[in-house]
Amino acid sequence: MQPTRILQGLRFRKQRLTTKDVNKGFYKGTRTGNMGRHTSFGGFVIEWNKVRTYACPPLDGFKLTPFVTEAKPKVYGEYPGERAGPRSAEAYLARWKAENGLD
């Protein structure tokens, strides 16, 4: 079996195939593999022997530190008079005007 003549040409030889390049029914996939199977009733059964597991080594005495320091105190926003808190549109616009200065 060989690919069609247009796919053998130089135009598509070095490029990736997409669903727009070939006829319907072509499924490229995401190269992620499956972790189970579909049932005849529309459900999905996970097969645990196919699930990826990652072994993490013990982190005792690990010398690298996180990017954010743990010594910084937690700061919680104060929104006086705003019932919605940080989701308030008025508080957002007031802060934006204070920081940017222009409308």
Side-chain angles (χ1 to χ4, degrees), residues 92-103:
Y92 174 78
L93 288 175
R95 182 176 174 187
W96 189 87
K97 286 181 182 179
E99 291 178 1
N100 296 318
L102 300 172
D103 281 337

Side-chain angles (χ1 to χ4, degrees), residues 17-67:
L17 282 178
T18 65
T19 53
K20 294 181 180 181
D21 297 331
V22 292
N23 292 332
K24 68 177 186 176
F26 173 73
Y27 178 68
K28 185 175 179 181
T30 57
R31 300 184 315 185
T32 58
N34 63 348
M35 290 186 282
R37 59 184 167 83
H38 293 281
T39 64
S40 59
F41 301 106
F44 188 78
V45 177
I46 296 176
E47 296 177 4
W48 292 102
N49 58 344
K50 292 184 174 183
V51 176
R52 293 170 204 87
T53 55
Y54 301 100
C56 180
L59 299 177
D60 300 332
F62 195 66
K63 294 182 181 178
L64 295 178
T65 59
F67 292 118

